[in-house]
Amino acid sequence: MNTYVGPSLRKDAAFASAPRSPASDLSMRNDVQGLRAIAVLAVIIFHANKAWLPGGFIGVDIFLVISGFLITSIILRQREQGRFSVKDFYLGRFRRIVPAYLVLLVAVTAVMAALLTPTDFKFFKKSLNAALYFNSNHYFAGFGDYFAPSAHELPLLHTWSLAVEMQFYLILPLLLALVPARLYKWLLPALVLLVTAYVGYRLADSGNRQATYFSLLARIPEFLVGSCLAVLKPGGISSPRLASVLAWIGLAAVVGSLVWIDESRAFPGWIALLPCLGAVLMIASRHGPVSRFLSTGPMVWIGGLSYSLYLWHWPVLAAIRYYTGRYELQPVELLAFALLTLSLSYLSYRWIERPFRSAGNLRTTLARVLALGIVAVPLIATSSKLNGSITVPLPVEQTRYAVDAEICHGKIVGDCTHGDRTSPETLLVLGDSHAAQLNLFFDAVGTTNHSAARIITGSSCVTIPGFDVERLPDWAQPPCTAQIAAAEPFIRSAQKIVIAAMWQYQVQSPAFLQAFERFLDSTDAKGQKVLVMAQLPMFDSDMLRMSRFEQLHLPVSRTLNGQWQAANSTIAKMVARHPSARFLDLSGDPLFASAPFADNTLIYQDKHHLNEIGARRYGEVAAPYFRDF
């Protein structure tokens, strides 16, 4: 988000004489700078640990209100003075946003080319391509892949809000230029209400929430709330007491939202108007203790640095989390995050933001951008080759559990059958990716036992009737539903069914446990035999990442995650209640004694999936048990 949104609205002589700081050479309202500080600190605290400030993400929305207010104020004032220039407007936006943003993209690309595995870097490169032309909000709106890094490990996820802001800047001047000024007071509030109502309608469908959250349309009301303030010009509140009361009400609305609103709510929609109106009240009320607090030196300093803080804090967090494999940071990691973010932000402000903002004309600006481009273009263009050349690539069979295009995982490919296709009987195998990793497993079992298996699976989705699809991410729900439907005819006719899943994830859902119990009840009633396979040992670290980090001479630690055993116990007890079902737990087999290695060969793909080598060897170990089944 762009925190430097325009030239002077008011020059504070007292602050202009204060010691130099990132904001001291900006002729801006100090209280607005302080509000920026609240917004960026809320976002950073939320990103550091969402449990600390559940609604901290609304700091983005406060920024958008500030942007709408300041940009509209500037455009209206320049139009009244007859000196508004579209060219100058966009040149100003370019100077304030693009140089620091481009430097960030270059620096993050260089670091991620070294740090990320080739598979993960492919996801990063797609987000980079979208971010380069301010389209990352659309990219992340449709983003979803089971094997992609987690959301908190995506270094450019935060660029979606910058994309939204730049897209809005294309609209606002045209809106203000085409509509007669006398209609502003009616049109802008009407647009806020109409668009908010439509967004609320969209959010009512949980399947639309991710796409709506990242959309420009959902954020237009927030910009326009700020624009309404600029048009209505309530800054002339003459009563200090009234201004103070309104400021306290606004602060209460903002702070209450930071605590009360969380990710479980349909956001933005109507609920977003609460913090937005709170921000408006704080901007409109320029007297009293709230305004004085916002105008204090530390708050103004942080507000002046807020754009760079926003740019740098998230990639630093994402890199630390990617390396450690953990969402929650340890104290020493939090300290490193704080120091790195502050240092990089100040350097960005001092050497990128300020020089570009002071560039005297278009020619000077273009010359400096050209200098940046000489570094940026070659690095970005060759980053994929750089990523692949820094370390020695692992054999392909150690980087996957099967060829995705050849298995029925999230889609139907052929007859979904593995093993000995001449076998008169075919097992039906259902489950999530922990069942999908058994495709080569059943090739090995089939070779030994002359048996066949039809495997129908989905990402995070146990493909049984009644599975609680709605708890999955938006991108995973349609293929899950389709795979369940595809499996149903085979479930009705199957004599023997195998179920495998990441029980550690699935048992967290009471709705799933109920659906699984009903499924086992139905197989008991029909006399179908069911073999439920235990989850294999799970680790706290991704094995492909560990291999890369070792080649980069970074310290690594491969430790078991203890939760998988408790999950196995829960499922085993459930299975024991059903006479037609058996629970097969081979996690204690010597094959896994030195996991994630076996005979000094890596047999894991990531934290909890086997690779092709591991899947085949697991099948060889399990073949005698399936012969009995």
Side-chain angles (χ1 to χ4, degrees):
M1 69 204 62
N2 174 29
T3 59
Y4 296 108
V5 291
S8 169
L9 289 182
R10 178 177 73 94
K11 181 158 184 168
D12 190 316
F15 186 73
S17 63
R20 178 171 292 275
S21 74
S24 63
D25 59 344
L26 293 178
S27 301
M28 285 186 169
R29 279 182 52 177
N30 290 347
D31 58 331
V32 175
Q33 288 289 72
L35 185 56
R36 284 195 180 106
I38 289 178
V40 77
L41 290 175
V43 170
I44 291 174
I45 292 170
F46 173 77
H47 284 163
N49 191 321
K50 64 181 70 176
W52 295 346
L53 195 64
F57 58 88
I58 70 169
V60 170
D61 308 280
I62 295 172
F63 271 116
L64 301 184
V65 171
I66 295 172
S67 290
F69 168 65
L70 292 178
I71 291 299
T72 304
S73 298
I74 293 161
I75 292 176
L76 294 181
R77 186 179 59 184
Q78 291 180 350
R79 284 193 64 190
E80 290 172 1
Q81 296 172 351
R83 58 185 183 88
F84 176 72
S85 165
V86 173
K87 183 193 76 171
D88 290 343
F89 173 83
Y90 288 119
L91 180 60
R93 299 306 95 226
F94 182 91
R95 286 173 176 167
R96 281 166 171 75
I97 297 177
V98 174
Y101 180 70
L102 184 59
V103 168
L104 171 91
L105 295 182
V106 171
V108 172
T109 299
V111 172
M112 295 304 156
L115 192 65
L116 302 185
T117 65
T119 299
D120 292 342
F121 191 80
K122 290 178 182 178
F123 290 108
F124 170 79
K125 190 65 181 294
K126 290 178 181 178
S127 69
L128 173 65
N129 292 338
L132 281 169
Y133 58 97
F134 293 99
N135 193 47
S136 49
N137 63 319
H138 293 119
Y139 173 74
F140 289 116
F143 182 81
D145 189 292
Y146 185 80
F147 289 103
S150 301
H152 58 261
E153 298 172 335
L154 299 173
L156 300 180
L157 178 61
H158 69 318
T159 63
W160 74 268
S161 62
L162 287 163
V164 164
E165 187 154 0
M166 288 296 278
Q167 291 160 19
F168 181 74
Y169 287 158
L170 296 176
I171 298 172
L172 183 61
L174 296 177
L175 175 65
L176 296 180
L178 295 175
V179 175
R182 66 180 184 277
L183 299 180
Y184 290 166
K185 293 181 180 181
W186 306 103
L187 178 64
L188 297 183
L191 285 175
V192 170
L193 296 176
L194 288 173
V195 176
T196 300
Y198 178 71
V199 170
Y201 167 75
R202 292 271 301 166
L203 290 171
D205 182 352
S206 60
N208 292 328
R209 289 188 180 179
Q210 178 173 316
T212 303
Y213 183 88
F214 288 108
S215 68
L216 169 63
L217 183 67
R219 306 294 166 164
I220 282 179
E222 298 164 8
F223 285 106
L224 293 183
V225 165
S227 297
C228 289
L229 178 63
V231 169
L232 297 173
K233 299 178 181 178
I237 298 175
S238 58
S239 169
R241 178 175 296 180
L242 177 59
S244 180
V245 170
L246 292 177
W248 280 113
I249 293 173
L251 180 62
V254 169
V255 173
S257 298
L258 293 173
V259 176
W260 171 59
I261 298 174
D262 59 32
E263 292 180 298
S264 67
R265 300 184 184 276
F267 193 88
W270 290 107
I271 198 172
L273 294 182
L274 177 62
C276 291
L277 293 175
V280 161
L281 289 177
M282 293 173 72
I283 296 171
S285 308
R286 297 170 58 177
H287 303 284
V290 173
S291 181
R292 287 195 295 271
F293 168 71
L294 294 176
S295 300
T296 57
M299 296 297 290
V300 174
W301 192 87
I302 295 171
L305 205 61
S306 56
Y307 179 42
S308 285
L309 286 170
Y310 183 80
L311 282 179
W312 286 99
H313 84 281
W314 181 256
V316 172
L317 268 177
I320 293 174
R321 285 170 171 154
Y322 185 86
Y323 174 62
T324 62
R326 288 180 281 101
Y327 170 78
E328 292 194 16
L329 304 187
Q330 301 300 313
V332 66
E333 295 160 354
L334 284 170
L335 179 61
F337 158 64
L339 293 176
L340 272 172
T341 298
L342 188 59
S343 300
L344 291 169
S345 299
Y346 184 79
L347 290 173
S348 173
Y349 170 80
R350 176 65 180 82
W351 298 106
I352 307 298
E353 287 187 61
R354 282 180 58 183
F356 272 92
R357 285 207 315 274
S358 62
N361 52 46
L362 179 60
R363 180 176 297 178
T364 304
T365 299
L366 291 177
R368 291 177 177 177
V369 170
L370 179 62
L372 278 178
I374 290 173
V375 176
V377 173
L379 175 63
I380 291 173
T382 61
S383 59
S384 295
K385 286 188 177 180
L386 179 64
N387 171 256
S389 65
I390 288 177
T391 60
V392 178
L394 291 173
V396 67
E397 61 266 22
Q398 289 185 321
T399 66
R400 66 189 185 192
Y401 55 62
V403 179
D404 181 65
E406 298 176 0
I407 62 175
C408 293
H409 186 56
K411 59 186 182 304
I412 297 299
V413 179
D415 62 3
C416 307
T417 302
H418 284 258
D420 183 356
R421 293 173 178 270
T422 65
S423 172
E425 185 178 29
T426 300
L427 299 174
L428 177 61
V429 182
L430 306 173
D432 57 22
S433 61
H434 281 234
Q437 73 178 346
L438 301 180
N439 277 271
L440 299 189
F441 168 100
F442 279 105
D443 281 339
V445 169
T447 299
T448 302
N449 296 344
H450 304 291
S451 61
R454 176 174 285 108
I455 308 170
I456 302 176
T457 60
S459 291
S460 302
C461 168
V462 181
T463 46
I464 60 173
F467 178 79
D468 50 328
V469 179
E470 63 279 357
R471 72 180 158 103
L472 301 184
D474 292 353
W475 59 266
Q477 292 184 21
C480 176
T481 301
Q483 291 297 87
I484 292 172
E488 281 191 292
F490 298 107
I491 292 174
R492 288 194 293 268
S493 61
Q495 295 180 354
K496 298 176 181 178
I497 301 172
V498 178
I499 306 285
M502 183 182 177
W503 302 122
Q504 182 173 340
Y505 169 70
Q506 303 296 350
V507 299
Q508 297 177 36
S509 168
F512 166 74
L513 292 176
Q514 293 173 7
F516 192 46
E517 190 84 58
R518 289 195 299 270
F519 178 78
L520 293 177
D521 286 339
S522 69
T523 57
D524 283 342
K526 292 185 288 186
Q528 295 170 304
K529 292 184 177 181
V530 178
L531 183 65
V532 179
M533 299 187 67
Q535 180 180 335
L536 296 178
M538 178 170 175
F539 295 85
D540 286 326
S541 304
D542 183 289
M543 296 306 131
L544 297 186
R545 297 182 190 182
M546 295 301 101
S547 176
R548 187 173 185 88
F549 298 160
E550 284 178 324
Q551 292 193 55
L552 294 173
H553 304 291
L554 297 172
V556 300
S557 174
R558 295 182 174 92
T559 57
L560 281 171
N561 181 305
Q563 298 176 13
W564 61 277
Q565 292 168 311
N568 277 346
S569 177
T570 298
I571 295 298
K573 291 176 182 176
M574 180 182 293
V575 171
R577 297 195 293 266
H578 296 272
S580 67
R582 290 172 49 193
F583 188 73
L584 178 62
D585 186 356
L586 299 180
S587 61
D589 189 87
L591 174 66
F592 302 106
S594 300
F597 296 93
D599 300 328
N600 296 317
T601 300
L602 184 66
I603 61 171
Y604 271 72
Q605 169 188 339
D606 49 34
K607 294 181 181 181
H608 50 94
H609 295 99
L610 298 173
N611 58 28
E612 289 186 2
I613 297 171
R616 288 193 180 95
R617 295 193 61 176
Y618 184 27
E620 293 166 0
V621 167
Y625 298 91
F626 276 84
R627 186 182 302 118
D628 294 340
F629 179 60

